[in-house]
Amino acid sequence: MRCILIGPPGSGKGTISAQLQKKYQIPHISTGDIFREHKQSNSEFGQLIASYIDKGQLVPDEVVMKIVFDRLEKTDCQAGFLFDGFPRTLAQGRQLQDYLSKKKLQLDCTVLLEADDDLIISRLCTRRVCACGAVYNTVGRPPKVEGVCDECGQPLIHRRDDTEEVIRERLNVYRTSTEPLVSFYNDLGVLLRLNAGQDSQQVLADFEHLMDKK
Ligand code: AMP
């Protein structure tokens, strides 16, 4: 399966991706996770990436595309892919389409996770993440032991870009740069919509229902 998840920050893309990856046995490719790894390395490139992420701004398209194309050449992508947080601009979406067309590959679906701004802000301010990919929420889905990952025991992180000021900037960027992709994928006939305001189990059930109908 070749699938893209788009939606505003905090719409649950990471949470549902972790479940879909297991179910469909395809690699979960989160450009945000890839950039955070570079950021942590503290290399010159990592510092450049941090200068965008920490302000809630997008990393330039050419940097993103180089990383994505390299990732798509890895053998695990022969089984398909699940993109989370990519593409985020029309230019990225178009370049991915060109790449797939040249390889004679079809995109199965782009799933739009829809949620309103108030819910997103409250979700992200209380979100805690683990380096292993697990995602928690101090209100709705707390870990068993405060501040510690249930899955691997590592300390949980409150992302620097999960503060209200940066979240508002990320939402602005989403509305201006990413939302045009909704019509782009709708015109390609691959757009599916999900209500991401529900709990993650219900979102997953709705996703499976959509896939069954396809
Ligand atoms: P995420 O974890 O998907 O919310 O991404 C965190 C940050 O990484 C974003 O706010 C951007 O700064 C950067 N980023 C992730 N994916 C992309 C992308 N496809 N294009 C540009 N910047 C990105």
Side-chain angles (χ1 to χ4, degrees), residues 31-32 35-36 53 57-59 64 85 88 92 159 170:
T31 41
F35 290 140
R36 275 183 291 279
I53 295 190
Q57 291 167 359
L58 293 183
V59 174
V64 177
R88 257 178 155 102
Q92 293 177 17
R159 278 171 47 175
R170 288 160 68 200

Side-chain angles (χ1 to χ4, degrees), residues 14-197:
T15 307
I16 188 176
S17 295
Q19 293 162 316
L20 295 175
Q21 175 183 29
K22 278 188 208 145
K23 182 173 162 77
Y24 295 96
Q25 299 285 304
I26 45 175
H28 164 212
I29 307 176
S30 156
T31 41
D33 285 350
I34 297 173
F35 290 140
R36 275 183 291 279
E37 271 171 36
H38 283 291
K39 185 183 148 177
Q40 264 167 2
S41 75
N42 225 4
S43 62
E44 208 174 306
F45 181 66
Q47 287 172 16
L48 173 80
I49 296 294
S51 70
Y52 295 101
I53 295 190
D54 291 346
K55 289 190 227 113
Q57 291 167 359
L58 293 183
V59 174
D61 287 337
E62 57 276 17
V63 177
V64 177
M65 294 316 299
K66 160 99 182 66
I67 281 185
V68 166
F69 289 147
D70 285 350
R71 183 65 187 84
L72 281 170
E73 290 302 319
K74 301 231 163 99
T75 48
D76 60 345
C77 289
Q78 282 167 9
F81 53 71
L82 177 65
F83 273 121
D84 155 11
F86 171 86
R88 257 178 155 102
T89 63
L90 265 180
Q92 293 177 17
R94 289 191 179 120
Q95 287 185 67
L96 176 66
Q97 269 318 106
D98 289 348
Y99 173 92
L100 294 175
S101 307
K102 277 188 197 129
K103 302 250 170 193
K104 302 205 175 356
L105 297 172
Q106 298 279 334
L107 188 63
D108 293 297
C109 56
T110 293
V111 180
L112 171 65
L113 294 169
E114 297 177 293
D116 64 48
D117 289 6
D118 288 346
L119 177 71
I120 285 166
I121 292 167
S122 75
R123 259 189 198 170
L124 289 185
C125 288
T126 51
R127 174 164 80 173
R128 299 293 180 271
V129 296
C130 178
C132 77
V135 184
Y136 300 87
N137 185 286
T138 56
V139 181
R141 199 151 37 94
K144 292 190 190 110
V145 178
E146 195 185 326
V148 178
C149 179
D150 293 348
E151 312 273 329
C152 69
Q154 293 189 78
L156 297 180
I157 301 157
H158 184 195
R159 278 171 47 175
R160 270 175 78 173
D161 57 347
D162 278 349
T163 57
E164 185 163 345
E165 190 192 348
V166 183
I167 296 163
R168 288 198 185 278
E169 173 60 14
R170 288 160 68 200
L171 279 168
N172 280 338
V173 168
Y174 175 77
R175 303 281 174 229
T176 7
S177 301
T178 309
E179 233 165 34
L181 283 165
V182 174
S183 330
F184 176 75
Y185 286 115
N186 195 33
D187 294 348
L188 287 175
V190 291
L191 188 78
L192 302 170
R193 291 171 186 268
L194 276 186
N195 171 7

